[in-house]
Amino acid sequence: PVQSDVLLSDLTGNGIAPPINIFAGLIRNVSSVLTRLADADSRSIILTPSDGVMSRLTWKDPETLSDFVKAHVVTVSPPWQEGKTAVTMLGNKVWWEIWSDEIGYGVFVRPAGATLGKTLSRVANGEVWEIGGMLH
């Protein structure tokens, strides 16, 4: 269900969910992203890597961190349909698709190929989707 009295920015204050607290913390350091997520009229989908993925990264340059966060905020209004191209705050074009062959199937964010997990939160101005990988 949609939490209609909550904005995406509200989720970054106390962590969106235990497996993605690291990414939520990074969002707080990128003012342009936080501003968008606090705007009730700006709809977005956050594609957030899990803490397991995030723990393997090291940050030396604040601009790299900012670009990384912006690459994971899709400026699209839910519902985001399969195969429909959308743009991230960094300007990258992304889409998601269900892929299958004789070996198996999966749901992936393209062109990066990160696996798409579950929807963690639905709030007034967007959604948070967990991904098993990175987009930048």
Side-chain angles (χ1 to χ4, degrees):
V2 175
Q3 299 173 60
S4 59
D5 59 339
V6 177
L7 297 175
L8 287 167
S9 60
D10 297 332
L11 301 176
T12 65
N14 56 16
I16 299 166
I20 57 167
N21 285 328
I22 294 172
F23 191 75
L26 295 180
I27 289 172
R28 291 191 298 268
N29 294 313
V30 183
S31 61
S32 61
V33 173
L34 200 53
T35 298
R36 179 178 180 86
L37 302 182
D39 183 350
D41 295 324
S42 294
R43 312 252 311 148
S44 302
I45 295 177
I46 300 172
L47 301 174
T48 180
S50 68
D51 279 356
V53 170
M54 294 297 299
S55 65
R56 296 189 298 250
L57 301 175
T58 58
W59 302 106
K60 296 178 181 154
D61 178 4
E63 186 174 327
T64 301
L65 175 116
S66 175
D67 286 352
F68 180 83
V69 172
K70 289 176 183 177
H72 290 82
V73 179
V74 184
T75 59
V76 65
S77 184
W80 183 18
Q81 302 299 319
E82 178 186 3
K84 182 178 180 192
T85 301
V87 179
T88 68
M89 285 188 69
L90 190 58
N92 299 335
K93 292 181 180 179
V94 294
W95 65 95
W96 68 271
E97 65 185 11
I98 299 171
W99 177 84
S100 65
D101 66 10
E102 61 278 350
I103 298 173
Y105 70 94
V107 182
F108 299 93
V109 178
R110 300 289 188 196
T115 56
L116 186 57
K118 61 185 177 180
T119 300
L120 299 173
S121 297
R122 288 185 172 99
V123 297
N125 65 337
E127 296 178 352
V128 179
W129 298 3
E130 184 176 22
I131 59 172
M134 296 173 282
L135 303 182
H136 183 72

